[in-house]
Amino acid sequence: MQAFTDLYVSLDSTTATNSKVAALRRYLAEAPAADAAWAIYIVSGRRAKRLAGRPLLKDALQTLTGYPEWMVLDAYATVGDFAETASLLTEEVRAANACDDQHSLAHWMEQEILPLADLDDEDKKQKLMDWWQRLPQLSAFLATKLITGGLRVGVSQTLVARAVAELADLPRDVITHRLMGDWQPNAAWFKSLLDPDITAETSSRPYPFYLASPLEKAPAELGTRGDWLAEWKWDGIRAQLVKRGGEISLWSRGEELITERFPEVVQAAAALDDCVLDGELLAWKDRVLPFAELQRRIGRKTVGKKLLSEVPVRLLVYDCLESDGEDLRPCGMRERRASAEALAAQADDRIATSPLLDHDSWEALAAARDGSRARGVEGLMLKAADSPYLTGRKKGAWWKWKVEPLTVDAVMIYAQAGSGRRATLFTDYTFAVWQEQEGERQLVPIAKAYSGLTDTEINSLNRWIRANTLERFGPVRSVSAEQVFELAFEGINASTRHKSGVALRFPRIARWRTDMRPEDANTLGQVKDLLSLYGNA
Amino acid sequence: MPLVELTDKGLYCPAGDFHIDPWRPVPRAVITHAHADHARPGSGLYFAETSGVPILRQRLGADLACHGLAYGESLELGRARVSLHPAGHILGSAQVRIEVDGEVWVITGDFKRDRDPTCTAFESVTCDTLITEATFALPIYRWPEIDTVAADIHRWWQANAQQGRASVLFCYALGKAQRVLAALMAHTEQRVLLHGAAVPLTQIYRDAGVAMLPTEPALEAEVEKKFAGELIIAPPGANGTAWMKRFGDCGTGFCSGWMLLRGNRRRRGYDRGFVLSDHADWPALLQTIEQSHAQHVLATHGRSDILVRYLREHGMRADELRTEFGDEDLAAES
Ligand SMILES: [Zn+2]
Ligand SMILES: [Zn+2]
C-alpha cells in the first residue's frame, strides 16, 4: 500500500493539474496491473459500500487510545475528518510498533478491506485497531477512508482519463468511454483499458463543445438584431446526443458519458436519423423545473421508476453538428438550426428544439429578458446567425445575456467552522432578516451561505466571530447580530421547511456591508415581495 | 492572594508590582520572548533574557530600556524574587519563575521540548502553580522529528531545483526561519536567500553564535532565471504580494504546526506544508505539567479548554486563563 499512499500524498499536496496527471501516470506505469486497476477505481471516486460506520470507528478508537469520548469528538471537530482524526490519535500507540507495510494495494482491497463485510462488529473493531497500530499514519488514514467509503482525492474523471490516455497513447475520449459503466478493478480490466484497438469507441465520440461568453456590453453593439438568433438561456445540463449507426450515446460538457442516466431521452432518440445534436437536458413538467430537481437525477448512475416520474427530463436542442454522417459545423447557425428542427420533429416531445425569440428589436428582447426569472431561465442567448460552430471559449459567436442576481441585505447570526480543509475557520454563515410581529422586531434565518468573501475578509470576520460569540452549540456559534451582508441569489421559492417560509436559490455573499447597521437590513416582508414577483411555486 | 493575576493590561504580579508580557503599556514588564503577541511597545522598563535583548531592541526600538538577565540569575522586584529559565521556544525565550514568601509560580510563556539548535533547551522548573500555554493542547498534535522535516524540506527544494524552479518557504521570520536554516545544515552547505524581514533577525542569531546556512538578501534580480533552484525564506505575509513576482513560477511551502492537519495544508494553498512548530505538542504539555509538580495549572492560548478539562478529569486542579496571546503562525497570516 505504501506506493499508493505516496501517490495519494502527491495528488493531495498539489493543486496543479499537470503534476496530478504526471503523478498518476507514473503510478499506473509502475504499479502491478491489479494495483493500477484499484488505484483508478479509488481515485476516480468509485466506492465500495460502507464497511464500518462512525459508531464502530469511535468505539475502536476509544478502546485503543483510552481517550474519553468528548476528547475524541473535540479532536474530530478540529480535524474535520474522522479517519484522519483516528490516524492522528493512534500515533501514540503506533510509535511503539513497527510500521511496515509490504502488501500491495490489491491485496489490501481484496484480502483485508472488502472481506470486512463478512465480519461482525467485534471482529471489525479488532481489525481496525490492528491496522491503526500496524500501518504508518497516512496509510492508516487511507485504509480507514476506504472502509468508510469517503475518500476524495481531488482528481476529476477528466484527469484520470488524461493520465490513462497519456500512458496508453490513445485519444482521451476513448479512455473516457472505457472508464464508464460497470467494470471490475482487476489486472485483466486494466490491460483492456490500454488496448490499442479503438474501433468500438470512436463511433460514439462527441464534438468539442462551443461555449458562450458573458455579454459585457450593450447588445446593440453586436450590430443589427436581424443578424442574431435569440433563445432563452436554460439552466440545465449541456449535452450532446450522438447517434451513429443507430447507436445512441449522451455526453455531458465534461466529456462524461451520461447515456444511462437519462433513459427517456435515449428512448425518444430511437426515432431519430443518425445525427449529433447539441442542447440542454432539463427537468420538465409542463414547464422547466428548478435545477435542484434536475440535480436529483445527476448523481445517480441508474434511475428508478419513482424518480423518473417525479423528475422527467427532456432535451431541448439548439444546434445540429452532424446529420447523416456529414459534419455540419462549418455551416451557418441558421442552417444548422433548420437541421436541428427537422431532426427534433422526428422524435416525441422529449426531444424538442429550444424556441427562438422573435422580438424584432433589441429593446423588445431586453423587455422579454426581464421576464426570465418568472420563466425559470437565466436570461437570453444571442447567437450570430451566420457563424459556424466554433470550439471552446472562442469569443464572438455565442453570448449569454444573463439577468442580474437578486439581492437581500441580511444580518449574520450564526457561524460554523467549515469541514475538511476549512475545519479551523468559520466559513459557513447563517443570515437573518427582520420579521415584524405585534410591533416587535425579531430576526428570522433566511439563508446559509459560505462563498463570496476574500481570504482577508474571512480572516477578519473570523477574528470578529471569536470576539463576539454569544453561545456555542458544538461547531456552531451564535454571534451578536451586528454584521450585515448583501446576499445574491438566483431565485426564490416558497418553502414550508424553512421558518421564514422562503428558500433562496444559490445564495452567496455578494458584499460585506460594513457601511450598514443591522437595523437597516431587509425585512421578511420585503423578501416575500420578491417571492410574489419572482417566485416559481 | 494569587502571586499572579489577570488584569486588563495582562498578567500582573502585585507583590513585585510588574507585569508579564503585558498587552498594554505598564511601568515594568518581564518579557518571556520577543514574538509580537508577548512583547509589545510602550512599557517603561523591560526585563528579558540576555540573548533575547537584541531581538527586543530590533523589534521595539534600539533605545528600549531593557534589563538583561541570564538564565537562572535572580532579581528582587518588590517582595518577589524573579528568575528566567529556558523555554526552548526561540532565542532568548524564557519561563518566568516568581517566588514570594516560599510560594512559587512559573509562567511558561511559549515553549517547546523538541530539539532546536538555535536556542537553549527547555528546562523543567518545579512550582506550586504553573501558567502554561496550550496552543496545541489536543492529543492529535505530536510533532515529527525535526530531522525528518528538514530532510523533507531539502528534498522538496531539490525537486523544485531539478525543474528549474525556485522554492519559497514561508516561515515566521523570528525563530522558525533560523531553526530551518540551522536544521538544513545536516543536508547541504548551500546559500539560502532571505526576505528583508528575516535579514536583521537572522544576523542577531549569527551574532549570538548560532550556526546556520549562509544567507543573502533576496534582492530583485535583473534576470528571472537567477532564482531558479534557490531556496528563499520569507514570512507568510509575503505570500501573494508583489514581492513574490520576481520568482516567477516557484514552489511554495509553509512551516507550521498547523500543517499537521490535511485540511489546513489544503486550505492555505501552499504546494507543501511542513509540520514544524515552536510550541509544545500534547505529550510535551503533559510531561511539563507532571515535572512541574504544580498543584494548580492555569492554561492560556489556544485549546486551554481541552487541557483544563483533561487535567480535571485526571484529578488535578486546573483553570483557564483568558489572555490575549495568540500563535505567531496564525497571527502572521491574518
Ligand atoms: Zn511565541
Ligand atoms: Zn504566544
Side-chain angles (χ1 to χ4, degrees):
Chain A
M1 183 130 115
Q2 192 58 50
F4 181 70
T5 305
D6 294 342
L7 168 66
Y8 169 79
V9 170
S10 30
L11 293 176
D12 198 45
S13 65
T14 179
T15 45
T17 51
N18 286 341
S19 317
K20 285 187 199 240
V21 170
L24 193 53
R25 192 189 53 211
R26 209 176 316 120
Y27 177 88
L28 296 177
E30 288 167 7
D35 282 17
W38 274 111
I40 291 173
Y41 185 88
I42 295 164
V43 165
S44 60
R46 290 181 181 241
R47 38 166 96 183
K49 69 171 200 245
R50 175 189 288 266
L51 297 163
R54 177 73 55 74
L56 184 84
L57 256 63
K58 192 157 70 71
D59 182 25
L61 187 54
Q62 282 181 245
T63 309
L64 186 62
T65 62
Y67 289 121
E69 185 185 27
W70 66 266
M71 200 163 211
V72 168
L73 292 180
D74 222 302
Y76 168 50
T78 303
V79 176
D81 180 282
F82 204 88
E84 188 183 356
T85 308
S87 74
L88 290 168
L89 285 179
T90 50
E91 190 68 9
E92 190 176 355
V93 282
R94 181 172 302 121
N97 286 276
C99 285
D100 169 36
D101 175 39
Q102 303 300 332
H103 291 301
S104 68
L105 177 62
H107 173 95
W108 264 96
M109 292 307 299
E110 292 161 16
Q111 309 297 324
E112 301 272 352
I113 289 172
L114 296 177
L116 273 193
D118 304 323
L119 301 183
D120 63 22
D121 278 2
E122 192 48 40
D123 288 344
K124 280 185 188 171
K125 186 177 154 185
Q126 289 304 327
K127 276 271 182 202
L128 271 174
M129 291 177 8
D130 177 43
W131 296 349
W132 285 338
Q133 292 174 77
R134 225 170 68 199
L135 292 173
Q137 189 239 325
L138 272 168
S139 299
F141 162 66
L142 287 175
T144 313
K145 272 304 217 191
L146 288 171
I147 64 167
T148 50
L151 185 64
R152 272 186 206 83
V153 192
V155 178
S156 66
Q157 187 75 257
T158 320
L159 289 194
V160 176
R162 239 178 85 185
V164 178
E166 283 181 16
L167 178 69
D169 198 17
L170 291 172
R172 177 153 38 114
D173 43 1
V174 169
I175 301 298
T176 304
H177 201 279
R178 289 179 182 176
L179 289 172
M180 292 297 143
D182 277 329
W183 43 266
Q184 289 303 313
N186 55 41
W189 173 80
F190 183 68
K191 290 196 181 108
S192 72
L193 182 65
L194 307 183
D195 186 354
D197 179 6
I198 58 169
T199 35
E201 288 85 4
T202 38
S203 69
S204 81
R205 271 182 180 181
Y207 290 102
F209 284 85
Y210 177 48
L211 307 175
S213 313
L215 184 66
E216 279 151 352
K217 51 189 172 189
E221 288 178 47
L222 294 176
T224 319
R225 164 71 183 94
D227 293 340
W228 294 83
L229 303 185
E231 304 161 22
W232 298 116
K233 160 111 187 57
W234 300 103
D235 182 15
I237 300 170
R238 180 82 182 273
Q240 268 182 51
L241 175 81
V242 178
K243 184 170 184 189
R244 293 188 185 116
E247 286 287 323
I248 298 161
S249 39
L250 204 52
W251 293 83
S252 77
R253 212 191 80 193
E255 291 191 39
E256 206 185 341
L257 193 53
I258 49 175
T259 320
E260 294 148 10
R261 300 185 201 181
F262 301 99
E264 65 267 69
V265 175
V266 175
Q267 247 174 42
L272 300 179
D273 293 338
D274 275 9
C275 62
V276 176
L277 299 175
D278 184 9
E280 198 96 358
L281 290 163
L282 297 162
W284 198 284
K285 261 185 181 170
D286 301 325
R287 55 169 292 159
V288 64
L289 300 179
F291 187 76
E293 292 292 311
L294 182 60
Q295 238 163 357
R296 296 170 58 198
R297 291 281 301 264
I298 301 175
R300 317 284 179 100
K301 277 254 152 61
T302 50
V303 249
K305 275 214 175 84
K306 183 162 175 278
L307 194 56
L308 268 177
S309 72
E310 279 175 12
V311 190
V313 167
R314 72 193 297 214
L315 178 69
L316 279 196
V317 174
Y318 36 68
D319 213 318
C320 174
L321 312 186
E322 184 184 300
S323 176
D324 251 341
E326 190 194 347
D327 182 353
L328 298 186
R329 291 177 302 161
C331 305
M333 179 74 234
R334 230 188 278 274
E335 199 181 329
R336 299 197 312 274
R337 169 89 202 178
S339 301
E341 284 171 5
L343 281 155
Q346 299 171 349
D348 59 39
D349 63 3
R350 289 175 294 184
I351 296 177
T353 40
S354 171
L356 289 179
L357 276 74
D358 54 8
H359 307 71
D360 55 8
S361 68
W362 292 119
E363 292 74 28
L365 264 186
R369 170 176 166 270
D370 290 340
S372 294
R373 237 185 283 276
R375 278 179 180 273
V377 298
E378 296 181 305
L380 297 182
M381 292 292 304
L382 302 175
K383 298 180 176 175
D386 296 326
S387 161
Y389 191 84
L390 306 175
T391 53
R393 294 189 183 276
K394 208 168 283 170
K395 278 194 181 177
W398 288 14
W399 299 101
K400 44 187 174 189
W401 187 21
K402 298 222 264 182
V403 282
E404 302 296 322
L406 297 161
T407 62
V408 60
D409 295 318
V411 186
M412 183 169 78
I413 53 169
Y414 298 114
Q416 183 173 357
S419 62
R421 61 202 196 91
R422 305 202 127 200
T424 54
L425 275 187
F426 296 97
T427 53
D428 300 7
Y429 316 109
T430 302
F431 300 94
V433 291
W434 295 105
Q435 181 174 32
E436 274 153 41
Q437 256 174 353
E438 294 147 19
E440 292 264 318
R441 266 159 79 91
Q442 192 192 346
L443 282 166
V444 279
I446 181 108
K448 274 191 165 196
Y450 8 84
S451 56
L453 294 176
T454 64
D455 280 355
T456 323
E457 285 174 320
I458 289 179
N459 282 331
S460 72
L461 186 56
N462 264 266
R463 255 173 283 141
W464 183 88
I465 290 166
R466 284 178 218 283
N468 292 279
T469 297
L470 302 177
E471 275 178 294
R472 301 183 188 201
F473 322 89
V476 181
R477 293 178 177 206
S478 67
V479 295
S480 43
E482 289 175 38
Q483 301 298 339
V484 182
F485 292 81
E486 179 181 317
L487 305 181
F489 52 98
E490 295 301 320
I492 181 166
N493 291 306
S495 163
T496 48
R497 286 185 297 122
H498 295 83
K499 194 175 164 193
S500 61
V502 296
L504 306 187
R505 182 150 173 253
F506 291 144
R508 57 201 182 268
I509 300 167
R511 249 177 335 147
W512 187 353
R513 297 295 305 258
T514 44
D515 55 324
M516 281 179 83
R517 292 168 306 160
E519 50 270 33
D520 302 331
N522 282 123
T523 64
L524 187 57
Q526 290 166 327
V527 175
K528 287 194 167 155
D529 289 344
L530 292 177
L531 178 64
S532 48
L533 275 173
Y534 303 114
N536 33 16
Chain B
M1 199 168 90
L3 287 200
V4 174
E5 58 193 34
L6 191 60
T7 70
D8 58 351
K9 294 189 168 112
L11 296 173
Y12 176 65
C13 172
D17 188 23
F18 63 91
H19 286 78
I20 305 103
D21 292 353
W23 41 84
R24 275 184 255 298
V26 298
R28 295 193 290 182
V30 175
I31 300 298
T32 62
H33 68 291
H35 277 149
D37 56 326
H38 295 261
R40 304 192 196 216
S43 287
L45 179 58
Y46 290 82
F47 298 89
E49 201 280 325
T50 317
S51 55
V53 174
I55 310 178
L56 269 186
R57 292 221 159 101
Q58 158 70 27
R59 300 211 122 185
L60 301 184
D63 54 349
L64 191 80
C66 187
H67 182 83
L69 231 72
Y71 287 126
E73 183 189 339
S74 61
L75 173 81
E76 307 288 335
L77 285 172
R79 293 193 299 114
R81 172 197 286 267
V82 180
S83 56
L84 301 178
H85 304 268
H89 177 58
I90 60 169
L91 183 64
S93 67
Q95 308 174 73
V96 182
R97 182 185 185 277
I98 303 170
E99 183 176 346
V100 177
D101 302 331
E103 185 184 349
V104 177
W105 284 45
V106 166
I107 297 137
T108 65
D110 292 348
F111 76 99
K112 72 167 175 292
R113 307 186 65 132
D114 293 270
R115 214 166 58 73
D116 182 347
T118 68
C119 59
T120 314
F122 178 90
E123 278 172 26
S124 262
V125 185
T126 54
C127 57
D128 301 296
T129 298
L130 180 72
I131 300 183
T132 178
E133 68 138 314
T135 312
F136 290 101
L138 254 179
I140 49 174
Y141 296 114
R142 304 174 73 92
W143 307 140
E145 289 287 334
I146 171 118
D147 302 331
T148 327
V149 181
D152 281 349
I153 294 175
H154 185 250
R155 219 174 301 130
W156 166 75
W157 172 13
Q158 296 311 306
N160 283 333
Q162 267 173 19
Q163 297 170 32
R165 302 205 300 168
S167 306
V168 181
L169 185 64
F170 295 101
C171 350
Y172 199 72
L174 170 55
K176 195 76 61 77
Q178 294 76 26
R179 193 178 176 203
V180 168
L181 286 169
L184 281 174
M185 289 181 79
H187 300 277
T188 178
E189 292 174 348
Q190 238 177 297
R191 179 208 18 56
V192 173
L193 298 175
L194 295 181
H195 180 275
V199 172
L201 294 163
T202 306
Q203 191 53 49
I204 293 174
Y205 269 63
R206 271 191 214 291
D207 295 345
V210 175
M212 291 175 289
L213 288 180
T215 50
E216 262 177 48
L219 301 171
E220 193 145 8
E222 283 155 40
V223 198
E224 197 177 275
K225 269 253 163 60
K226 197 183 155 198
F227 291 106
E230 301 281 3
L231 175 69
I232 301 103
I233 289 187
N239 193 17
T241 65
W243 180 81
M244 287 291 290
K245 285 212 182 93
R246 65 191 71 181
F247 306 114
D249 171 38
C250 59
T252 56
F254 183 42
C255 284
S256 163
W258 302 107
M259 292 297 103
L260 183 73
L261 303 188
R262 178 169 168 260
N264 289 338
R265 288 198 297 272
R266 302 179 54 146
R267 188 180 63 73
R268 309 230 164 191
Y270 301 101
D271 297 334
R272 281 296 297 272
F274 298 101
V275 185
L276 193 62
S277 176
D278 288 328
H279 290 268
D281 61 4
W282 176 253
L285 285 171
L286 295 190
Q287 189 189 5
T288 300
I289 289 164
E290 191 185 310
Q291 291 180 352
S292 74
H293 294 109
Q295 286 109 50
H296 191 191
V297 174
L298 296 166
T300 72
H301 278 67
R303 304 312 303 268
S304 45
D305 53 334
I306 304 277
L307 185 60
V308 165
R309 183 164 175 190
Y310 182 84
L311 293 176
R312 285 183 181 171
E313 286 188 2
H314 285 73
M316 290 195 61
R317 211 177 131 215
D319 291 285
E320 268 187 81
L321 206 56
R322 298 203 158 250
T323 59
E324 288 182 18
F325 304 133
D327 172 64
E328 53 275 3
D329 285 336
L330 290 182
E333 279 222 309
S334 46

